[in-house]
């Protein structure tokens, strides 16, 4: 299978501060197997991109850039750019062979030229370049082939899987949506253009405007990871070079995330956007602006609640930790936020949360730890008592972390009582022997840490259990009493014919009918 | 807890009865604050009980302020709270005090979580109706204004849903303000807010005066329909339906159509999909003239759209489109303007498009009449019955009744049979299940002879399918067939074959015999049950597989009521008693259950 072609820096390595520098062209490949792919029969052209092809013009090869005198270079460049603005369906390997070849050659040459020749990028070619790029890459992304796409289970849409027979309707659409070669070259060109030593943001900003950025961001929803990889690097460069667009880019990213969290749980490029943001956060000046703090609290933290968290969790956790390293006073907010969104049924996510929590605890300041230790360790205790042993195990690993252990020790008068009851109980009840023995180790550590406190807690454990039962009983009595009182009041008011309360018979009260 | 105990110490404001001392509010609030989420949730769900126990005055003066202040909780708790408060008017003293509920709901309408916010808005909409016009302007409208100018997008999105409920009863000056605020939300900086506004545009238009619709709503509609985000533009299509219903034909042409034409051609397939999806509503709202001039050509484009999603949505609407056309023209329009495109779609490359079309195409036969159906539609049906995608074939078969009314099913029967046989043997059990479900319908339409000749063997083959769901469906199918064809037919064709399976070496097949008897006995009546079925069941009581034996007990319980006393006492009872002593505990259990249900003890 040739489906996995992870580009140079995979999304699983967000720890690199900022984006890794764009690799030299010979390594950016990931497309070497094109020939194989094109060999397969394919009915394409249903991509929205190719709607406007009515009168296809013939392309004639132009002389090579290096063959003309400098005086004619720019005129030829413009003509080549115009040629590259003609759209072909690169997936359809039969049509317009000649035209495609001309365009491909021109693009290759442009990539080469922008990357290596100095003095090519003069002001008049900027609009032509941006126009050519816009025409080629901006398009409405086609519908997802598989609406129930599960990023963890399914292959991304690079290719139709061999094993499936499309006639049985398992794939919902006919065309594999992928980055064709035309695209790749244009992205490559765009990148070289942005990275050229001659590139002048002050000139380019007239053409790379907010609308341009917005369309660029929309492309992050592409199903093809290679396209998103290019976009990631490009957007990062744009962010770096166009100071005037920075706030706008951040705002639009927020909108994408918020929509993703609250409206439409589908956006393919979340991990890539987070990776860019991770490097942006890294560069925030101190003290942090309110806008940035708000981004953390109102966007990054709620992002944890999304179903497909596993796809971008590494990048997200990196962003969160970046924030905390910048400003430790945000710790309480973050941890309380995570506790609020703590997964209730998805054990896989719970393990991720525990992992992130450990990353946070690794950098936490003792003064901040004190503020959240109690709710945090109550949650950790709940995880330890999870019947899913991986969750329990992950939580218990906290005690293997020396820094965390030292924090616990310093605050054992709060932490121990918060977890003791649960640990004690689980040590007797858990089905998994590994968990039981891990808990014993933890209890042993506690004993060594503070033997006196440990003994007190052991002694009071039974008493507390009894008190709990008693409380539960009292609660039940309270509600019973309330229910009786409610009924009495209902009868009383009905007897007294007090109109407003009459509509509170159970049916009316729940159906909410108007009186 | 300091705050709570402070509240609790106050003298019982409700006065009157002495119950108050029993339940100081602190205790109740303690419950609402319990550390365990589940307990908090339980308490919130019984909030009306608490309120009733407290009485209206203390609910207003103590409970509501508490609820307003401690709004930071798990979303699940907040959701329950938002729902409760919608029905709280009576508990705070009736409509005169409904505005007391606004502060907590206002807070809830600004939280992040969408479900909580939506529920709070729903409750606010409900409560708005209980406000007097004066209270509405004094309390409710200011709340809407506050939400509409909130900092974070959540409160502004919530506001979008509240304009339409307070507008009709507001004074003219306030109305102008409300319109102004809605306008500004339609061009909000945040796409989330614009989407919320766009989705409420139609609803808001309906409560406005016609002049305002023309002068204010239409420009908003035009703007939203050309928003930079397609997620906003597509919502404008929905609003288009509501707005169109309010305007005259001439106004539609000048005010709405230019925008709608643009939507049909939108570069985003999502917008075009929306037009296809809402096509019937649009057609009705726009009226016949615009339909002919504009919508039909638009529909043709949608049917040949480059995205399969759009074509499928349009194909789904083919039948409704026909039904909504004026009766006198519809045959011609469909024949000349739609049918050519449908013919193309029958061989579309995308299975979803074909199956969408197959689910409605049969409906066209009633519109086109017998001759056209035979000449033009029948070849299409036949082609679809041979389609490579089982969904397509299934959709055709499931709609056979439409054609039956027009041309009779016989025209199709020759092609039908291979299609049915193939589906009956499809590798996917869900496909087999689906075709079984249409068997009674087909049997009715094809008649008993055709059925016996061609389909009976299929029905029997399903009884030994290796998937239980198929065997179960096949059993039910037999019952329906007997209801259709009568007991004599059952006795001759079905029952013997079923009973033979009682000797099958596979215990699953032997159990199927029992399940069939359970299903058939009632339809077959006492005689057949007693004479033919009962002996077999009784014989199976000696089966060596316990599952068969306890199913015998179950079957006897099931058919017992149909039998007469002699059979029950003389034949059933001894067998059940014997099973009651079985070594297997399940067999014992079901035998004893049968004995007690049939009163044979």
């Amino acid at each position: 299978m040739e489906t996995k072609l992870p580009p140079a820096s995979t999304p699983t390595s967000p720890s690199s501060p900022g984006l890794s520098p764009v690799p030299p062209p010979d390594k950016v490949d990931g497309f070497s197997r094109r020939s194989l792919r094109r060999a397969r029969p394919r009915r394409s052209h249903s991509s929205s991109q190719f709607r406007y092809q009515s009168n296809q013009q013939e392309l004639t090869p132009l002389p090579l850039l290096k063959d003309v005198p400098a005086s004619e270079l720019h005129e030829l460049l413009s003509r080549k750019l115009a040629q590259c603005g003609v759209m072909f369906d690169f997936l359809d390997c039969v049509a317009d062979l000649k035209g495609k070849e001309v365009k491909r050659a021109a693009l290759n040459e442009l990539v080469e030229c922008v990357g290596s020749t100095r003095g090519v990028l003069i002001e008049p070619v900027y609009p032509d370049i941006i126009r050519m790029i816009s025409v080629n890459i901006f398009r409405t992304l086609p519908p997802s082939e598989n609406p129930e796409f599960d990023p963890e289970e399914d292959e991304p849409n690079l290719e139709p899987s061999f094993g499936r027979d499309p006639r049985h309707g398992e794939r919902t659409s006919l065309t594999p949506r992928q980055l064709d070669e035309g695209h790749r070259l244009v992205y490559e060109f765009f990148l070289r253009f942005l990275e050229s030593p001659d590139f002048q943001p002050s000139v380019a900003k007239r053409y790379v405007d907010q609308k341009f950025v917005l369309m660029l961001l929309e492309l992050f929803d592409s199903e093809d990871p290679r396209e998103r990889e290019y976009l990631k690097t490009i957007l990062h460069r744009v962010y770096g070079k166009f100071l005037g667009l920075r706030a706008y880019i951040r705002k639009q990213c927020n909108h994408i995330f918020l929509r993703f969290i609250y409206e439409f749980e589908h956006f393919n490029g979340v991990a890539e956007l987070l990776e860019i943001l991770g490097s942006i956060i890294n560069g925030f000046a101190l003290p942090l602006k309110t806008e940035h703090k708000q981004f953390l609290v109102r966007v990054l933290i709620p992002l944890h609640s999304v179903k497909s968290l596993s796809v971008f969790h590494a990048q997200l956790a990196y962003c969160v930790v970046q924030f905390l390293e910048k400003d430790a006073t945000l710790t309480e907010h973050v941890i309380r936020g995570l506790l609020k969104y703590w997964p209730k049924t998805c054990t896989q996510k719970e393990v991720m949360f525990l992992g992130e929590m450990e990353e946070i605890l690794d950098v936490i300041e003792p003064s901040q730890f004190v503020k959240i230790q109690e709710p945090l360790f109550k949650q950790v205790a709940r995880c330890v008592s999870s019947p899913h042993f991986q969750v329990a195990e992950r939580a218990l690993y906290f005690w293997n972390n020396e820094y965390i252990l030292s924090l616990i020790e310093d605050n054992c008068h709060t932490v121990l009582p918060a977890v003791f009851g649960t640990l004690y109980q689980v040590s007797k009840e858990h089905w998994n022997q590994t968990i039981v023995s891990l808990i014993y180790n933890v209890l042993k550590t506690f004993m060594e840490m503070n033997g006196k406190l440990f003994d007190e807690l052991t002694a009071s454990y039974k008493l507390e259990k009894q008190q709990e039962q008693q409380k539960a009983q009292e609660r039940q009595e309270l509600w019973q009493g309330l229910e009786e009182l409610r009924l009495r009041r209902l009868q009383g008011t009905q007897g007294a014919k007090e109109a407003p309360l009459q509509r509170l018979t159970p049916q009316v009260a729940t159906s909410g009918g108007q009186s | 807890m300091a705050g709570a105990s402070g509240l609790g110490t106050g003298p019982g404001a409700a006065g009157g009865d002495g119950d108050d001392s029993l339940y100081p509010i602190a205790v109740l609030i303690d419950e609402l604050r319990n550390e365990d989420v589940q307990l908090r949730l339980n308490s919130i769900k019984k909030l009306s009980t608490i309120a009733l126990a407290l009485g209206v005055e203390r609910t207003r003066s103590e409970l509501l302020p508490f609820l307003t202040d401690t709004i930071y909780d798990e979303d699940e708790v907040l959701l329950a709270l938002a729902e409760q408060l919608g029905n709280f008017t009576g508990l705070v003293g009736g409509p005169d005090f409904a505005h007391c509920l606004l502060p907590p709901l206002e807070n809830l309408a600004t939280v992040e979580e969408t479900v909580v916010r939506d529920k709070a808005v729903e409750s606010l909409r409900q409560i708005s109706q209980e406000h007097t016009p004066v209270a509405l302007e004094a309390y409710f409208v200011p709340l809407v204004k506050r939400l509409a100018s909130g900092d974070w997008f959540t409160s502004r999105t919530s506001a979008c849903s509240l304009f339409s409920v307070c507008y009709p009863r507001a004074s003219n000056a306030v109305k102008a303000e409300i319109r102004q605020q809605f306008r500004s939300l339609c061009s909000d900086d945040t796409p989330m807010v614009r989407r919320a506004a766009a989705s409420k545009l139609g609803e808001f238009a309906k409560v406005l005066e016609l002049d305002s619709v023309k002068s204010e709503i239409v420009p908003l509609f035009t703007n939203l329909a050309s928003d930079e985000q397609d997620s906003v533009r597509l919502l404008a299509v929905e609003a288009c339906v509501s707005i169109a219903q309010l305007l005259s034909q001439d106004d539609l042409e000048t005010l709405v159509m230019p925008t709608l034409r643009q939507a049909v051609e939108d570069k985003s397939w999502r917008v075009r999909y929306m037009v296809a999806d809402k096509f019937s509503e649009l057609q009705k709202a726009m009226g016949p003239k615009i339909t002919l001039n504009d919508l039909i050509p638009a529909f043709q484009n949608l049917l040949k759209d480059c995205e399969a999603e759009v074509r499928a949505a349009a194909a789904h609407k083919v039948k409704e489109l026909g039904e909504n056309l004026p009766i006198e023209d519809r045959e011609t329009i469909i024949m000349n303007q739609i049918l050519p495109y449908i013919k193309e779609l029958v061989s579309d490359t995308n299975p979803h498009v074909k199956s969408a079309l197959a689910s409605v195409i049969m409906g066209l036969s009633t519109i086109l009449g017998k001759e056209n159906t035979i000449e033009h539609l029948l070849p299409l049906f036949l082609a679809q019955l041979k389609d490579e995608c089982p969904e397509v074939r299934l959709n055709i078969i499931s709609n056979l009744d439409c054609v039956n009314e027009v041309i009779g099913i016989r025209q199709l029967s020759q092609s039908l049979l291979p299609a049915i046989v193939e589906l009956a043997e499809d590798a996917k059990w869900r496909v087999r299940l689906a075709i079984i479900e249409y068997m009674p319908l087909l049997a009715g339409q094809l008649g008993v002879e055709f059925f016996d000749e061609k389909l009976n063997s299929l029905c029997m083959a399903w009884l030994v399918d290796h998937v239980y769901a198929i065997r179960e469906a096949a059993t039910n199918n037999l019952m329906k067939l007997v209801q259709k064809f009568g007991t004599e037919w059952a006795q001759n064709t079905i029952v013997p074959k079923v009973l033979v399976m009682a000797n099958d070496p596979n215990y699953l097949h032997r159990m199927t015999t029992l399940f069939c008897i359970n299903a058939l006995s009632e339809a077959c009546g006492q005689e057949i049950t007693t004479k033919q079925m009962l002996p077999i069941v009784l014989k199976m009581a000696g089966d060596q597989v316990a599952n068969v034996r306890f199913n015998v007990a179950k079957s006897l319980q099931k058919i017992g009521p149909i039998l007469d006393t002699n059979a029950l006492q003389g034949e059933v009872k001894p067998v059940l008693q014997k099973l009651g002593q079985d070594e297997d505990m399940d067999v014992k259990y079901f035998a004893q259950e049968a004995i007690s249900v049939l009163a044979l003890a």
Side-chain angles (χ1 to χ4, degrees):
Chain A
M1 294 295 288
E2 41 164 310
T3 39
K4 290 220 165 151
L5 298 170
S9 71
T10 55
T12 43
S13 59
S15 48
S16 55
L19 290 164
S20 50
V22 179
D26 49 326
K27 286 189 194 153
V28 176
D29 193 296
F31 301 89
S32 51
R33 313 207 189 171
R34 288 250 16 130
S35 53
L36 232 175
R37 193 169 301 116
R38 264 182 301 139
R40 219 158 315 115
R42 136 163 323 146
R43 299 156 293 185
S44 138
H45 26 234
S46 76
S47 175
S48 297
Q49 193 182 3
F50 302 108
R51 268 158 58 76
Y52 44 83
Q53 315 263 305
S54 45
N55 45 346
Q56 192 63 261
Q57 62 210 83
E58 277 286 305
L59 293 192
T60 43
L62 297 168
L64 292 180
L65 287 169
K66 61 174 189 237
D67 292 347
V68 294
S71 57
E72 291 168 32
L73 179 71
H74 287 108
E75 199 257 321
L76 183 61
L77 193 64
S78 282
R79 286 172 61 198
K80 294 227 171 199
L81 284 167
Q83 278 194 336
C84 294
V86 178
M87 294 303 294
F88 295 104
D89 185 351
F90 269 80
L91 295 175
D92 183 346
C93 52
V94 193
D96 300 310
L97 274 181
K98 188 172 160 243
K100 269 190 264 187
E101 200 39 56
V102 172
K103 176 169 172 178
R104 198 192 330 257
L107 274 172
N108 270 319
E109 213 190 341
L110 287 172
V111 169
E112 185 63 35
C113 170
V114 170
S116 57
T117 321
R118 296 293 305 255
V120 179
L121 294 182
I122 56 163
E123 216 173 316
V125 300
Y126 278 72
D128 290 343
I129 288 176
I130 296 300
R131 194 179 309 121
M132 188 278 278
I133 292 169
S134 306
V135 166
N136 274 287
I137 65 171
F138 292 150
R139 66 210 192 273
T140 304
L141 292 167
S144 170
E145 256 176 70
N146 181 358
E148 283 111 49
F149 181 74
D150 178 346
E152 291 160 65
E153 297 279 329
D154 299 338
E155 293 287 353
N157 248 329
L158 296 167
E159 298 216 309
S161 308
F162 282 117
R164 290 187 189 159
D165 184 349
R167 282 176 307 174
H168 290 304
E170 277 175 342
R171 299 197 71 95
T172 57
S173 185
L174 52 139
T175 328
R177 321 286 193 184
Q178 53 167 288
L179 190 59
D180 64 58
E181 186 165 1
H183 268 130
R184 185 188 71 83
L185 287 169
V186 175
Y187 277 120
E188 191 60 44
F189 171 73
F190 192 6
L191 203 52
R192 303 279 185 99
F193 169 62
L194 290 170
E195 289 173 346
S196 159
D198 290 346
F199 178 75
Q200 288 179 294
S202 55
V203 179
K205 74 178 181 192
R206 262 172 268 161
Y207 313 104
V208 179
D209 53 6
Q210 296 194 346
K211 195 161 189 294
F212 185 93
V213 166
L214 186 65
M215 289 197 280
L216 202 60
L217 282 167
E218 278 176 6
L219 291 177
F220 274 81
D221 194 19
S222 164
E223 282 193 12
D224 192 321
R226 296 163 305 175
E227 178 167 21
R228 298 201 301 270
E229 194 62 24
Y230 266 115
L231 287 164
K232 184 179 78 184
T233 322
I234 286 169
L235 186 67
H236 190 245
R237 298 290 173 271
V238 170
Y239 190 88
K241 295 190 191 272
F242 297 86
L243 302 186
L245 287 171
R246 288 186 173 184
Y248 184 78
I249 291 174
R250 289 197 305 268
K251 189 174 82 179
Q252 293 305 327
C253 285
N254 274 358
H255 291 163
I256 289 175
F257 289 141
L258 289 170
R259 176 162 193 240
F260 176 66
I261 301 167
Y262 295 115
E263 293 183 3
F264 190 70
E265 272 201 14
H266 186 91
F267 192 85
N268 290 311
V270 175
E272 283 81 3
L273 288 178
L274 284 171
E275 210 177 326
I276 300 170
L277 285 161
S279 76
I280 292 176
I281 295 164
N282 205 329
F284 282 161
L286 288 172
L288 289 175
K289 286 190 207 163
T290 323
E291 178 213 322
H292 301 326
K293 291 186 189 168
Q294 196 172 47
F295 171 64
L296 171 69
V297 176
R298 306 196 108 160
V299 181
L300 289 184
I301 299 298
L303 258 178
H304 286 83
S305 66
V306 174
K307 200 167 72 184
S308 55
L309 176 69
S310 64
V311 181
F312 54 86
H313 181 251
Q315 289 80 356
L316 180 58
Y318 176 74
C319 287
V320 170
V321 174
Q322 285 291 301
F323 261 113
L324 297 185
E325 290 200 39
K326 286 261 162 197
D327 182 352
T329 60
L330 294 166
T331 314
E332 188 182 354
H333 262 307
V334 168
I335 293 186
R336 286 195 190 275
L338 287 180
L339 292 176
K340 175 176 161 156
Y341 292 112
W342 202 273
K344 296 210 167 47
T345 53
C346 181
T347 47
Q348 194 203 4
K349 271 173 81 173
E350 223 173 335
V351 173
M352 286 184 254
F353 269 58
L354 284 165
E356 183 171 350
M357 200 55 94
E358 187 168 353
E359 280 183 53
I360 293 171
L361 290 176
D362 271 333
V363 300
I364 200 168
E365 285 183 9
S367 60
Q368 297 296 322
F369 181 79
V370 179
K371 292 186 189 165
I372 46 77
Q373 52 184 350
E374 207 178 336
L376 171 62
F377 274 87
K378 283 196 171 149
Q379 180 59 57
V380 172
R382 271 197 290 277
C383 293
V384 170
S385 68
S386 166
H388 196 295
F389 81 96
Q390 286 177 338
V391 175
E393 193 178 46
R394 187 67 191 84
L396 287 163
Y397 282 167
F398 278 22
W399 275 270
N400 293 350
N401 182 314
E402 301 230 333
Y403 183 58
I404 299 180
L405 205 60
S406 74
L407 289 168
I408 295 176
E409 190 162 6
D410 293 345
N411 300 284
C412 64
H413 282 277
T414 319
V415 177
L416 249 65
V419 296
F420 182 82
T422 316
L423 288 182
Y424 190 80
Q425 195 182 348
V426 177
S427 74
K428 305 200 157 168
E429 289 172 1
H430 207 282
W431 63 272
N432 185 298
Q433 276 314 307
T434 319
I435 300 301
V436 174
S437 60
L438 281 171
I439 293 181
Y440 271 121
N441 288 341
V442 171
L443 288 174
K444 214 172 102 211
T445 335
F446 281 160
M447 222 182 317
E448 289 158 8
M449 214 179 259
N450 191 333
K452 188 163 162 278
L453 180 60
F454 188 86
D455 291 343
E456 280 170 24
L457 288 169
T458 323
S460 61
Y461 175 76
K462 271 209 172 129
L463 193 67
E464 268 172 33
K465 280 278 149 192
Q466 280 171 355
Q467 279 175 345
E468 256 172 52
Q469 274 179 356
Q470 202 188 337
K471 263 194 180 167
Q473 174 124 25
E474 278 170 18
R475 172 168 306 117
Q476 204 188 344
E477 281 163 15
L478 168 75
W479 284 107
Q480 219 167 350
L482 276 175
E483 186 60 27
E484 279 162 21
L485 181 57
R486 186 182 78 97
L487 290 176
R488 256 206 319 280
R489 292 239 162 150
L490 267 181
Q491 282 165 358
T493 48
Q494 272 168 357
K497 288 192 178 125
E498 273 179 34
L501 278 177
Q502 268 182 354
R503 51 187 294 280
L504 277 169
T505 52
Q507 304 92 323
V508 184
T510 48
S511 70
Q514 270 111 52
S515 43
Chain B
M1 285 324 299
S5 53
L7 280 171
T9 49
D17 47 12
D19 288 332
D20 297 330
S21 56
L22 267 176
Y23 300 109
I25 188 156
V27 177
L28 304 174
I29 284 176
D30 232 10
E31 283 298 292
L32 292 171
R33 273 187 178 157
N34 195 296
E35 203 180 302
D36 184 336
V37 189
Q38 194 52 48
L39 290 176
R40 282 206 303 278
L41 193 57
N42 292 347
S43 313
I44 284 284
K45 285 185 174 161
K46 289 187 229 158
L47 202 58
S48 60
T49 307
I50 296 179
L52 206 57
L54 284 173
V56 292
E57 279 180 40
R58 291 186 64 201
T59 298
R60 288 201 302 266
S61 63
E62 297 174 42
L63 184 61
L64 285 178
F66 164 74
L67 293 174
T68 313
D69 291 340
T70 44
I71 221 85
Y72 184 84
D73 202 336
E74 299 251 349
D75 291 329
E76 216 177 337
V77 176
L78 298 184
L79 175 67
L81 177 59
E83 188 170 9
Q84 290 279 317
L85 290 177
N87 299 312
F88 241 57
T89 308
L91 293 162
V92 293
D96 289 344
F97 297 97
H99 63 266
C100 298
L101 297 170
L102 298 181
L105 282 172
E106 181 174 351
N107 288 348
L108 289 169
T110 63
V111 301
E112 318 266 5
E113 177 49 51
T114 326
V115 278
V116 176
R117 236 185 307 140
D118 287 351
K119 188 54 85 179
V121 167
E122 196 185 313
S123 290
L124 279 171
R125 284 169 70 110
Q126 206 168 313
I127 289 173
S128 74
Q129 303 304 326
E130 288 159 351
H131 279 66
T132 59
V134 179
L136 196 76
E137 283 200 13
Y139 301 103
F140 199 87
V141 174
L143 169 143
V144 178
K145 283 188 202 161
R146 279 195 301 278
L147 287 176
S149 49
D151 279 341
W152 193 238
F153 79 96
T154 51
S155 72
R156 302 202 297 279
T157 39
S158 292
C160 292
S161 309
L162 297 173
F163 293 115
S164 63
V165 289
C166 51
Y167 190 84
R169 292 196 290 152
S171 66
N172 281 340
V174 174
K175 277 182 173 176
E177 276 180 70
I178 293 177
R179 289 198 304 271
Q180 167 56 37
Q181 291 211 303
F182 189 81
R183 260 205 313 275
S184 68
L185 291 185
C186 282
S187 51
D188 196 278
D189 189 37
T190 326
M192 277 78 71
V193 178
R194 294 203 301 279
R195 280 194 285 275
S199 68
K200 296 295 165 191
L201 184 66
E203 184 188 286
F204 190 55
K206 283 183 186 165
V207 297
L208 253 60
E209 300 74 13
L210 186 59
D211 281 346
S212 308
V213 172
K214 284 197 225 174
S215 64
E216 295 183 42
I217 294 290
V218 168
L220 292 176
F221 164 67
T222 315
N223 276 340
L224 290 168
S226 48
D227 195 275
E228 61 186 11
Q229 305 243 345
D230 61 359
S231 53
V232 179
R233 297 202 297 277
L234 66 87
L235 291 167
V237 175
E238 249 181 314
C240 184
V241 176
S242 309
I243 295 170
Q245 288 164 347
L246 305 170
L247 298 175
S248 70
Q249 281 287 312
D250 289 345
D251 288 337
L252 281 179
E253 185 53 57
T254 52
L255 299 176
V256 178
M257 278 318 288
T259 309
L260 184 60
R261 283 190 200 106
Q262 191 186 308
V264 174
E265 305 259 290
D266 198 285
K267 68 180 194 300
S268 165
W269 63 272
R270 292 184 188 86
V271 179
R272 302 196 303 276
Y273 172 90
M274 205 62 177
V275 177
D277 194 50
K278 297 281 160 208
F279 199 84
S280 302
E281 289 89 336
L282 286 168
Q283 190 187 352
K284 281 186 209 156
M286 294 295 177
K289 192 165 150 253
I290 293 181
T291 298
L292 284 190
N293 293 340
D294 275 281
L295 295 187
I296 296 282
F299 192 71
Q300 293 171 338
N301 283 336
L302 295 171
L303 285 176
K304 60 182 167 89
D305 195 277
C306 62
E307 291 297 350
E309 271 73 3
V310 180
R311 293 199 301 280
H316 258 303
K317 301 291 166 185
V318 162
K319 181 182 154 211
E320 280 178 51
L321 169 101
E323 285 170 349
N324 293 337
L325 288 170
I327 292 183
E328 59 279 12
D329 305 328
R330 64 189 190 189
E331 188 186 322
T332 352
I333 296 173
I334 298 225
M335 287 303 295
N336 298 333
Q337 305 196 51
I338 302 295
L339 198 62
Y341 294 88
I342 292 180
K343 284 181 178 166
E344 293 272 307
L345 287 187
V346 169
S347 51
D348 198 277
T349 45
N350 183 296
H352 289 269
V353 176
K354 288 188 291 188
S355 104
L357 180 68
S359 68
V360 293
I361 189 173
M362 310 290 267
L364 288 178
S365 48
T366 28
I367 299 170
L368 294 183
K370 189 171 176 182
E371 273 167 37
N372 282 328
T373 301
I374 292 177
E375 194 184 337
H376 297 283
L377 291 179
L378 197 56
L380 302 181
F381 300 158
L382 295 176
Q384 284 175 307
L385 276 175
K386 295 193 187 85
D387 198 278
E388 57 185 6
C389 167
E391 289 254 312
V392 176
R393 284 173 268 151
L394 211 51
N395 280 343
I396 290 291
I397 290 175
S398 62
N399 287 300
L400 280 174
D401 47 338
C402 315
V403 195
N404 196 28
E405 288 159 21
V406 183
I407 57 170
I409 209 164
R410 291 271 158 189
Q411 297 271 3
L412 275 171
S413 55
Q414 284 316 311
S415 308
L416 213 46
L417 195 63
I420 294 172
V421 173
E422 208 180 311
L423 288 169
E425 289 160 359
D426 196 282
K428 290 205 190 75
W429 67 268
R430 283 177 198 282
V431 174
R432 299 200 296 278
L433 185 65
I435 188 76
I436 294 177
E437 271 155 19
Y438 296 117
M439 270 303 171
L441 180 79
L442 285 168
Q445 284 166 359
L446 293 166
V448 67
E449 264 170 56
F450 186 90
F451 186 86
D452 278 346
E453 198 179 316
K454 315 275 187 190
L455 299 178
N456 196 7
S457 55
L458 281 180
C459 291
M460 301 317 287
W462 282 320
L463 288 176
V464 293
D465 197 284
H466 59 272
V467 175
Y468 176 75
I470 300 296
R471 297 198 297 274
E472 190 188 26
T475 312
N476 288 330
N477 174 42
L478 288 187
M479 181 181 71
K480 287 180 191 150
L481 290 174
V482 172
Q483 284 165 355
K484 217 156 221 140
F485 293 151
T487 52
E488 200 179 318
W489 177 81
Q491 198 171 3
N492 293 332
T493 50
I494 301 282
V495 174
K497 290 182 188 168
V498 166
L499 296 182
V500 165
M501 279 165 53
N503 299 319
D504 197 288
N506 185 336
Y507 84 100
L508 290 171
H509 297 174
R510 299 202 293 279
M511 292 213 305
T512 307
T513 299
L514 292 171
F515 297 146
C516 286
I517 288 174
N518 294 348
L520 293 176
S521 60
E522 200 170 327
C524 287
Q526 196 189 46
E527 201 189 323
I528 299 179
T529 307
T530 315
K531 288 199 176 138
Q532 300 191 13
M533 296 176 177
L534 183 60
I536 300 289
V537 179
L538 294 174
K539 205 180 102 196
M540 291 168 85
D543 200 289
Q544 53 187 345
V545 178
N547 296 48
V548 178
R549 294 201 300 280
F550 75 65
N551 271 298
V552 166
K554 281 178 165 181
S555 288
L556 288 173
Q557 181 185 334
K558 173 92 186 165
I559 63 174
I562 304 165
L563 305 170
D564 61 23
T565 336
N566 283 344
L568 273 177
Q569 291 293 339
E571 302 181 62
V572 175
K573 190 175 171 183
V575 170
L576 281 177
Q577 278 170 339
K578 185 164 165 264
L579 290 173
Q581 307 299 318
D582 200 281
E583 59 190 22
D584 186 282
M585 60 180 282
D586 293 319
V587 178
K588 257 196 250 179
Y589 172 83
F590 286 109
Q592 278 153 9
E593 188 185 71
I595 289 173
S596 82
V597 169
L598 297 172
L600 293 174

